[in-house]
Amino acid sequence: MDRVKTESMSLAQARRVALAAQGLHAPRPDAAAPREVTLRQVQRTVDRLGLLQIDSVNVLARAHLVPLYSRLGPYDVSLLDRAAGRAPRRLVEYWAHVASYVPPETYRLLEWRQRAYRTEAWGSISGVEASHSAVVEHVRRIVTERGPVTASEVHEILEAQGMGEARGTVEWGWNWSLAKRALELLFFTGEITAARRNAAFERCYDLTERVLPPAVLAAPPVSDEDAVRRLLEIGARAHGVGTLRCFQDYFRLKGPAPRRALAELVEDGVLRPVEVRGWDETTYLHRDAALPRRAQGRALLSPFDPLVFERTRLERLFGTYYRIEIYVPAAKRVHGYYVLPFLQGDRITAKVDLKADRRAGLLRVLSAHREEHADAGTAPALAAELRLMATWLGLADVVVGPAGDLAPALAAEVGRVDAGAAG
């Protein structure tokens, strides 16, 4: 790959820069002769991405697991549990893009958000400090004495001591108890963090000083201005090329600080303005961005993959309109509940709604839709990718339902039609 020196580039070149920055430009190792993925490779991939978004939806696989699969191929997911759940930790949890795994060093860059918790945290979290200060103090003591503990365990302790409260429906319908809200306040302010996740995917809270590596704890605090600048630079490096909106969305940076940080990064030569022909916004190129001559990767992308975080950017670069339809009523969904874009070369050529039917041992394709740049090779390539994903998920086969204009060709490639699937 070549370093990008031009001050002007085509959309096709910008796509290749973006894919190279995300590690999606090259083919993964041959599935017929896979190599064992190591913890070091997982670490390198996370370092390249900057973060992994966490989401509890498990209709296919947890959100943080799929981006690593998309770049590394089949891997042992326990590697991620080890990285985040055992000392010395290579990953820790915090609010980055949203709830995310980040390298411990990046955790320290997010302390500005902890200091600004009264405006950064949801009201149901920040408000518990004033409404239930005695409970917050008691929860603090429980974690100190008994951690790591889950919210369910803390809830039971509070109930036994007459300090409990009926669960209420708050924030997107999550049924958070008072214990959970108090724990999340302490999590947001950085007093506690997740030592690991248990089998039910619950956070096991412990004091942050018992989780972060000693060298990270000993590092000096980072000012708000420096933190925003460094976070914006991580987002820019992970994008390769993009707009201020793209870069600041990576860590959900708000207000005037990101624009000041951008100006400083341009002045220091970390970023430089570049014209992307056909992209009618001011765009910037990271100095480490590389331009591969071709993009030959192939991957199914999670709805929470960093490549698709910023939907406007995705539409500008790849010409595809993509929205998560989990919260859309079933009758109004266009493509399905848990839809993954299919990357083929430097184009998004299909979207598939997938479900891991673990009881039946099947990867179910509930719908398959063509994108504008689909070609005769899309169905065979997608079928191969689905078989590989099924193997990674421990599923015996792939079945294709009738919904979507790509479904007939995909079913013919897969060889199994799910006739009972809803259209």
Side-chain angles (χ1 to χ4, degrees):
M1 291 189 292
D2 300 322
R3 294 294 178 203
V4 188
K5 296 182 173 61
T6 179
E7 300 303 320
S8 175
M9 63 175 63
S10 66
L11 276 173
Q13 289 174 317
R15 280 195 298 274
R16 299 201 300 274
V17 168
L19 292 171
Q22 283 283 311
L24 287 165
H25 63 293
R28 293 172 310 206
D30 188 349
R35 82 285 192 246
E36 183 178 352
V37 174
T38 66
L39 185 57
R40 179 172 295 184
Q41 289 170 308
V42 168
Q43 180 69 62
R44 282 204 302 262
T45 302
V46 177
D47 287 344
R48 180 198 287 261
L49 300 180
L51 56 82
L52 291 175
Q53 181 175 339
I54 299 169
D55 190 85
S56 60
V57 175
N58 197 27
V59 67
L60 181 69
R62 303 281 187 200
H64 56 285
L65 301 177
V66 181
L68 293 175
Y69 164 80
S70 299
R71 291 154 178 82
L72 298 172
Y75 73 100
D76 183 352
V77 298
S78 69
L79 292 173
L80 201 52
D81 294 333
R82 187 189 311 170
R86 296 186 201 172
R89 285 173 179 79
R90 298 166 183 256
L91 296 173
V92 291
E93 287 193 39
Y94 194 62
W95 295 100
H97 183 71
V98 288
S100 306
Y101 286 118
V102 297
E105 296 78 11
T106 302
Y107 180 92
R108 297 299 306 270
L109 300 181
L110 293 161
E111 289 176 351
W112 69 270
R113 185 165 280 157
Q114 298 170 5
R115 294 189 286 267
Y117 71 95
R118 286 188 177 90
T119 55
E120 288 287 321
W122 303 322
S124 60
I125 296 175
S126 60
V128 76
E129 179 184 41
S131 61
H132 295 86
S133 58
V135 172
V136 172
E137 178 58 33
H138 194 54
V139 168
R140 183 183 283 116
R141 288 197 297 271
I142 292 171
V143 176
T144 301
E145 295 167 4
R146 307 193 189 197
V149 288
T150 66
S152 299
E153 291 168 339
V154 175
H155 176 71
E156 290 177 2
I157 293 169
L158 291 183
E159 278 200 326
Q161 296 174 350
M163 300 180 72
E165 183 184 80
R167 286 182 170 87
T169 301
V170 295
E171 305 293 356
W172 290 95
W174 293 340
N175 199 16
W176 278 9
S177 65
L178 175 57
K180 176 66 173 175
R181 300 201 308 274
L183 285 164
E184 285 299 309
L185 170 67
L186 298 174
F187 178 86
F188 204 102
T189 59
E191 289 189 54
I192 67 176
T193 190
R196 61 179 180 273
R197 293 269 182 160
N198 66 12
F201 205 59
E202 296 176 291
R203 281 184 180 136
C204 298
Y205 299 92
D206 204 351
L207 297 179
T208 301
E209 65 195 52
R210 298 199 290 236
V211 175
L212 286 184
V216 175
L217 284 168
V222 182
S223 70
D224 291 8
E225 294 77 13
D226 286 347
V228 170
R229 174 185 164 125
R230 288 164 65 180
L231 291 169
L232 191 74
E233 194 270 333
I234 291 171
R237 179 163 37 83
H239 279 310
V241 63
T243 66
L244 172 61
R245 184 188 61 248
C246 301
F247 303 157
Q248 70 183 73
D249 176 72
Y250 216 66
F251 286 95
R252 297 291 171 89
L253 304 172
K254 303 173 185 176
R259 187 168 294 279
R260 291 196 298 269
L262 178 78
E264 292 173 2
L265 291 169
V266 170
E267 183 178 352
D268 292 347
V270 178
L271 298 176
R272 72 172 189 270
V274 61
E275 178 194 3
V276 179
R277 298 185 295 277
W279 193 347
D280 57 352
E281 296 178 84
T282 304
T283 52
Y284 301 86
L285 189 73
H286 193 278
R287 66 183 173 194
D288 295 336
L291 175 59
R293 291 178 175 83
R294 290 180 295 174
Q296 298 175 295
R298 187 178 77 194
L300 286 161
L301 303 173
S302 160
F304 307 102
D305 192 283
L307 185 70
V308 305
F309 275 170
E310 219 294 308
R311 307 296 194 235
T312 301
R313 179 176 189 269
L314 186 71
E315 193 166 357
R316 294 284 189 275
L317 277 177
F318 292 91
T320 186
Y321 180 85
Y322 178 56
R323 295 294 182 270
I324 296 176
E325 299 182 80
I326 291 174
Y327 302 109
V328 176
K332 295 183 178 181
R333 290 179 192 139
V334 176
H335 295 106
Y337 178 81
Y338 201 78
V339 175
L340 283 75
F342 178 54
L343 176 69
Q344 184 182 3
D346 71 341
R347 291 293 192 177
I348 304 294
T349 60
K351 296 190 181 90
V352 285
D353 183 16
L354 300 182
K355 178 179 180 179
D357 187 341
R358 296 170 179 88
R359 180 170 296 182
L362 296 173
L363 178 57
R364 295 190 183 276
V365 184
L366 303 181
S367 72
H369 292 85
R370 296 178 184 273
E371 287 290 289
E372 179 183 353
H373 298 283
D375 57 27
T378 296
L382 178 55
E385 190 64 28
L386 289 166
R387 291 191 192 97
L388 186 63
M389 175 171 273
T391 300
W392 174 58
L393 295 173
L395 303 172
D397 211 343
V398 179
V399 293
V400 180
D405 57 1
L406 184 59
L410 184 61
E413 292 291 336
V414 168
R416 285 202 62 178
V417 178
D418 192 1

